[in-house]
């Protein structure tokens, strides 16, 4: 879910029938990921050994096929929300119906169990909702970071809620944390998992056994939240 911001520009490669994006950085090991959008990414040290990279891809071929098949199944039906009365929008795991109103001070508010959007702002609905998630998300995430960081014995740098291409969140080598605004659609427990995941990267950069042990110590049922994201991530959009 995370890696250093010191990655060089990604380059596209093809190994037999598997297309992948290669990112190089000052890391010691080579790792392979299936990104949130279903693309394959290989992160390798500088300088990289192409023969070693292709060997890893070959070793993980069955794993890649299995995960891509699951991704295609889960993402077969994409969610496209319309800014009309009665449409449902997720916030912290709950579905709130949209109501268009003629008069209110703010473009969008969450009130009495409904999202209220000014009718004259419908054409900008997507950006208004994204801004809502960014603004509310920053406060919420900062609260949870302040709660969990001392428990894990780590610190962190700047925090941003933004548009991330492939990941739910990321942690740079300097400790700056970035979270996708879509995270705010997930239940609080799942959001906590995403936050704990990134804080664990302050201890271990790679997803090795020590990394997952660090997550498990704070959130023993984290695998349930990983599963939730895999099965519900496609529905977390606008």
């Amino acid at each position: 879910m995370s890696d250093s911001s010191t990655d060089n520009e990604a380059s596209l490669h093809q190994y037999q029938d598997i297309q992948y994006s290669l990112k190089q950085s000052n890391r010691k090991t080579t790792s392979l990921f299936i990104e949130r959008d279903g693309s394959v990414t290989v992160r390798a040290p500088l300088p990289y050994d192409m023969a070693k990279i292709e060997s890893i891809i070959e070793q993980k071929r069955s794993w890649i096929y299995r995960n891509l098949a699951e991704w295609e199944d889960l993402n077969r039906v994409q969610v496209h929300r319309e800014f009309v009365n009665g449409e449902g929008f997720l916030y912290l795991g709950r579905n709130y119906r949209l109501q268009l109103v003629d008069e209110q001070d703010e473009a969008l508010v969450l009130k009495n169990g409904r999202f209220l959007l000014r009718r004259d702002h419908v054409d900008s609905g997507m950006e208004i909702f994204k801004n809502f998630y960014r603004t509310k998300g920053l406060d919420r995430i900062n609260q949870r970071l302040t709660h969990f960081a001392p428990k894990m014995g780590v610190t962190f740098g700047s925090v941003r809620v933004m548009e991330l291409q492939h990941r739910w969140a990321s942690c740079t080598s300097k400790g700056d944390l970035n979270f996708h605004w879509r995270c705010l659609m997930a239940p609080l427990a799942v959001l906590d998992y995403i936050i704990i995941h990134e804080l664990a990267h302050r201890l271990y950069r790679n997803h090795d056994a020590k990394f997952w042990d660090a997550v498990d110590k704070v959130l023993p049922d984290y695998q349930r939240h990983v599963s939730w994201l895999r099965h519900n991530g496609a529905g977390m959009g606008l």
Side-chain angles (χ1 to χ4, degrees), residues 14 30 48 52 57 66 69 81 89 98 101 103 114 134 145 151 189 192 200 230:
Q14 186 90 21
T30 299
Y48 68 89
K52 181 177 180 180
I57 293 174
R66 185 172 66 253
R81 291 180 167 85
F89 290 83
L98 180 65
V101 297
E103 295 182 6
R114 285 184 177 273
R134 291 188 191 106
L145 283 168
K151 293 178 179 293
D192 279 350
R230 290 177 69 86

Side-chain angles (χ1 to χ4, degrees), residues 48-84:
Y48 68 89
D49 182 338
M50 185 58 75
K52 181 177 180 180
I53 289 172
E54 292 182 350
S55 174
I56 291 173
I57 293 174
E58 184 62 41
Q59 291 171 18
K60 292 198 171 186
R61 179 179 293 277
S62 296
W63 180 88
I64 293 171
Y65 287 163
R66 185 172 66 253
N67 279 270
L68 288 180
E70 181 180 351
W71 184 90
E72 290 176 2
D73 183 56
L74 295 175
N75 289 271
R76 188 167 286 119
V77 178
Q78 292 289 334
V79 174
H80 297 285
R81 291 180 167 85
E82 298 182 357
F83 301 95
V84 297

